[in-house]
Amino acid sequence: KEAFLPTFLWPQRDCDLIKLKEAVDPTSRLDDKPESLESRTAAKLTGFMQIRLLCYALALQEASVCKNFTLEKLRQLHNEYERRVGVKEALQNHRRRKEELQQNLQNREDMLQQLKQALESEREEHAQACKESQRQLEKGNRAKQKAEETCKDLQ
């Protein structure tokens, strides 16, 4: 499984948030090979950066509305938004993994059902083959007895 290092985004004071948002906008990227590993990694990193930038922007917006705006208040709000996003991502990953496991379980149950049906049909075929062999054996025994009786009669 792929994983990212836990991190957060805290732009410098002089950073232009609009330009930063445009820089991590996935629609601004032109990829020659969207299925390549580099493109997928870049897309994940871009999505990660977008979420972190959103957390910072929301915290900044909420902190600036407060009457007593302080950098500490901004940090607290930023941490709270990061925590919320982390919980949301964990829940989404959990739901996705749960769906994958349920699908895997369903596939295995379907496969087991097919194997049971195949086993049952093989058992029926084997039972028919055994009955046929038993009939052939009985027919051969009757033929042998008849031949022995015929031999005794001839003697």
Side-chain angles (χ1 to χ4, degrees):
K1 295 278 181 180
E2 296 177 22
F4 287 101
L5 293 175
T7 188
F8 64 92
L9 178 69
W10 189 270
Q12 288 183 325
R13 184 180 313 181
D14 299 331
C15 181
D16 184 355
L17 289 179
I18 303 299
K19 285 185 180 179
L20 184 58
K21 183 180 179 195
E22 289 172 2
V24 296
D25 185 10
T27 58
S28 65
R29 291 181 41 97
L30 297 174
D31 290 328
D32 296 305
K33 301 175 185 174
E35 292 85 29
S36 72
L37 179 62
E38 289 177 6
S39 294
R40 288 192 311 250
T41 303
K44 285 183 180 181
L45 182 59
T46 300
F48 178 82
M49 293 291 288
Q50 281 183 311
I51 291 170
R52 295 314 173 267
L53 183 59
L54 177 63
C55 286
Y56 178 79
L58 290 172
L60 182 61
Q61 181 181 11
E62 189 173 330
S64 63
V65 172
C66 293
K67 293 178 184 176
N68 54 351
F69 176 81
T70 62
L71 190 56
E72 186 58 33
K73 180 71 173 172
L74 178 59
R75 284 187 183 126
Q76 288 173 356
L77 290 170
H78 184 251
N79 286 338
E80 178 61 24
Y81 279 108
E82 284 287 336
R83 186 193 63 76
R84 287 179 191 172
V85 166
V87 168
K88 184 178 177 182
E89 287 175 347
L91 288 174
Q92 287 173 341
N93 288 338
H94 175 72
R95 282 188 209 108
R96 183 178 36 80
R97 181 69 178 140
K98 182 180 173 185
E99 289 172 2
E100 289 172 1
L101 290 174
Q102 286 176 337
Q103 184 63 41
N104 188 9
L105 177 63
Q106 184 62 43
N107 290 343
R108 289 177 187 252
E109 286 177 347
D110 292 345
M111 189 184 306
L112 181 62
Q113 190 62 32
Q114 291 173 354
L115 289 173
K116 283 181 180 179
Q117 290 173 350
L119 178 63
E120 187 61 35
S121 66
E122 285 179 13
R123 283 182 178 166
E124 289 175 7
E125 290 173 7
H126 180 71
Q128 291 294 335
C130 286
K131 286 180 183 177
E132 183 61 32
S133 296
Q134 188 65 33
R135 275 189 252 133
Q136 291 292 332
L137 183 62
E138 289 173 0
K139 186 177 176 183
N141 284 339
R142 284 194 300 268
K144 179 182 173 186
Q145 286 176 351
K146 196 173 193 180
E148 286 174 353
E149 289 175 5
T150 305
C151 281
K152 283 184 185 178
D153 288 343
L154 290 176
Q155 289 178 355

